Amino acid sequence: MAQLQLKNLNKTYGPKNIPVKNISLDVSEGEFLTLLGPSGCGKSTTLRLIAGLEQPTKGEIRIGDRNVTYTKPGDRNIAMVFQSYALYPHLTVYENMASSLKLRKVPRAEIETLVTEVSQALGLTELLDRKPGKLSGGQRQRVALGRALVRKPAVFLLDEPLSNLDALLREKVRAELKQLFAAQQAPVVYVTHDQTEAMTLSTKVAVLNNGNVQQLDPPHLIYTRPTNQFVAGFVGSPQMNLFVLKCQGNFAMLGDFPLRLPDLPTMPPEIVLGIRPENVSFAGEMEAGETVIKGEVFLVENLGMQNLISIRVKGDDSLTVRALLPGDRPWNSDAVELFFPPDSIHWFDVKTGDRLH
Ligand SMILES: Nc1ncnc2c1ncn2[C@@H]1O[C@H](COP(=O)(O)OP(=O)(O)OP(=O)(O)O)[C@@H](O)[C@H]1O
Ligand SMILES: [Mg+2]
């Protein structure tokens, strides 16, 4: 049975301000769910509803076999970590970590065991006597995590816990988080707008837009089979190339070049083609009979490990293809021949944005 269940959850602030629209989700023991989406899509509101800091307009929240929809936050057995850390500045690291246990009247010896155990796991042992003002951002973040971990809650909620850290530290703490949560069973709901965090940490990802769940799947499916154009464009960096193409017979026209359409119930007049930059191949690796797309390189950006290459496709100046390639320039002039492997092409409906194939 799922440890955390959201059933048709809805939060309305006003007729045009509905940050959470009919969200239903399950998170089981051992699962790490990430709510991923752009700013304002309703991630924090959803988390605050689970924590009990807001009340839903409609719907139900269950933890274990309890309906906690209208239960006070303190009675839900949830631990929440905020972006701001929210540490008590006048208390030491030890006291910060122990505070919620003291409040629950946990015996002193037990508190000591729990704090010692968690501070060891987080590398905080040396810092237990310090106050938050004398810690680095990363250390403060670990104290905030430690404070959540000592509570052994039924559910962990984390809202953008890494966004105040610089890029290097974020990578380090991200890896630590992954190990830390892999070693415990309580379900985790993690909010971020950072797709790398979502891809690396989660067992499943809910992509949100405008208060709606667009797709709920393990990270690899979010990436390889985005359910609509929004998810396709939101997940992936550099972004998936997306083109609106006219259809002629069984082909979609990319500039001068016909690309075979998949089998569809009806052939639309226009269609959206998506292909990830790393899936664009240089012609030569293709099967006989496939279309060669001719283009011209107009920009090469060296990312160190890879090159990001912007290419204008012949016959339609407005199209730009970006391809990743290792090593040096594999071509002699700016004229290049490309190939889109059919298995790597995503097709979406022009009007609804839904995946067609
Ligand atoms: N207390 C409130 N009263 C009215 N509107 C609110 C309130 N809290 C949030 N909203 C609105 O709800 C929408 C979703 O907000 P929310 O904080 O959930 O977004 P988010 O996905 O967490 O975004 P971000 O990535 O910027 O943190 C926003 O349009 C916001 O203005
Ligand atoms: Mg937020």
Side-chain angles (χ1 to χ4, degrees):
M1 191 185 65
Q3 177 68 3
L4 172 70
Q5 265 184 305
L6 310 186
K7 290 187 185 171
N8 305 107
L9 209 59
N10 206 290
K11 179 69 183 176
T12 305
Y13 285 117
K16 287 199 180 144
N17 191 355
I18 310 173
V20 179
K21 295 176 189 146
N22 216 26
I23 290 190
S24 296
L25 293 170
D26 282 3
V27 200
S28 300
E29 296 274 314
E31 281 194 314
F32 192 118
L33 168 77
T34 296
L35 305 179
L36 173 70
S39 186
C41 72
K43 305 179 296 292
S44 296
T45 307
T46 307
L47 212 64
R48 291 167 61 79
L49 290 172
I50 303 172
L53 302 172
E54 303 270 357
Q55 290 225 324
T57 312
K58 268 191 269 173
E60 190 177 320
I61 301 165
R62 301 186 71 86
I63 295 177
D65 51 10
R66 289 166 67 211
N67 180 346
V68 299
T69 317
Y70 301 104
T71 306
K72 279 192 294 183
D75 296 335
R76 296 191 182 198
N77 195 17
I78 274 175
M80 189 154 172
V81 179
F82 299 91
Q83 175 182 348
S84 62
Y85 316 148
L87 299 176
Y88 299 113
H90 58 289
L91 300 183
T92 63
V93 168
Y94 183 96
E95 289 161 344
N96 262 288
M97 285 169 70
S99 59
S100 68
L101 301 175
K102 269 193 193 151
L103 218 62
R104 275 198 276 158
K105 309 239 183 308
V106 176
R108 182 183 285 266
E110 200 178 317
I111 294 182
E112 204 169 320
T113 314
L114 281 166
V115 173
T116 308
E117 189 186 295
V118 171
S119 51
Q120 268 168 5
L122 289 170
L124 291 170
T125 316
E126 308 292 310
L127 304 172
L128 288 173
D129 294 331
R130 282 215 210 152
K131 300 222 169 116
K134 300 208 165 136
L135 299 175
S136 71
Q139 289 165 338
R140 272 180 229 166
Q141 183 50 268
R142 265 179 269 157
V143 178
L145 279 171
R147 199 173 47 176
L149 286 164
V150 290
R151 295 183 47 189
K152 303 210 182 291
V155 178
F156 283 101
L157 304 177
L158 296 96
D159 193 349
E160 310 249 9
L162 307 186
S163 53
N164 283 354
L165 306 179
D166 68 46
L168 268 182
L169 195 56
R170 209 178 311 157
E171 272 180 29
K172 185 166 172 278
V173 181
R174 195 176 71 212
E176 286 170 4
L177 269 185
K178 188 169 169 110
Q179 290 171 306
L180 215 63
F181 284 109
Q184 64 88 49
Q185 277 302 299
V188 182
V189 183
Y190 186 98
V191 162
T192 185
H193 60 267
D194 181 322
Q195 47 172 303
T196 314
E197 284 173 27
M199 294 298 289
T200 53
L201 289 169
S202 323
T203 57
K204 58 186 183 186
V205 178
V207 182
L208 299 187
N209 189 29
N210 254 326
N212 289 304
V213 175
Q214 305 288 314
Q215 184 167 3
L216 174 62
D217 264 321
H220 72 277
L221 286 181
I222 300 274
Y223 194 77
T224 55
R225 279 195 75 79
T227 190
N228 59 32
Q229 202 182 324
F230 175 81
V231 178
F234 190 73
V235 178
S237 175
Q239 206 187 23
M240 182 187 285
N241 297 290
L242 290 161
F243 309 109
V244 178
L245 305 181
K246 291 221 166 6
C247 301
Q248 285 177 13
N250 288 332
F251 295 89
M253 297 304 294
L254 176 68
D256 293 344
F257 307 98
L259 296 164
R260 188 177 292 282
L261 286 164
D263 280 337
L264 300 172
T266 51
M267 286 301 170
E270 283 187 327
I271 199 163
V272 175
L273 177 153
I275 184 160
R276 295 210 181 273
E278 70 270 25
N279 293 137
V280 176
S281 304
F282 283 80
E285 304 155 25
M286 46 183 280
E287 313 240 325
E290 297 287 0
T291 303
V292 174
I293 301 158
K294 293 187 178 167
E296 206 171 300
V297 175
F298 67 90
L299 182 68
V300 178
E301 292 162 274
N302 185 343
L303 302 181
M305 187 171 69
Q306 289 157 320
N307 287 326
L308 197 55
I309 305 155
S310 300
I311 296 162
R312 209 166 274 127
V313 171
K314 280 228 172 88
D316 191 335
D317 273 356
S318 68
L319 297 183
T320 302
V321 176
R322 302 152 94 196
L324 292 170
L325 261 195
D328 296 332
R329 297 185 129 214
W331 60 88
N332 297 324
S333 68
D334 284 341
V336 287
E337 297 193 338
L338 304 170
F339 165 56
F340 293 177
D343 289 351
S344 304
I345 298 179
H346 308 259
W347 300 100
F348 302 105
D349 187 289
V350 168
K351 288 205 185 84
T352 63
D354 289 343
R355 184 180 194 91
L356 293 171
H357 192 81

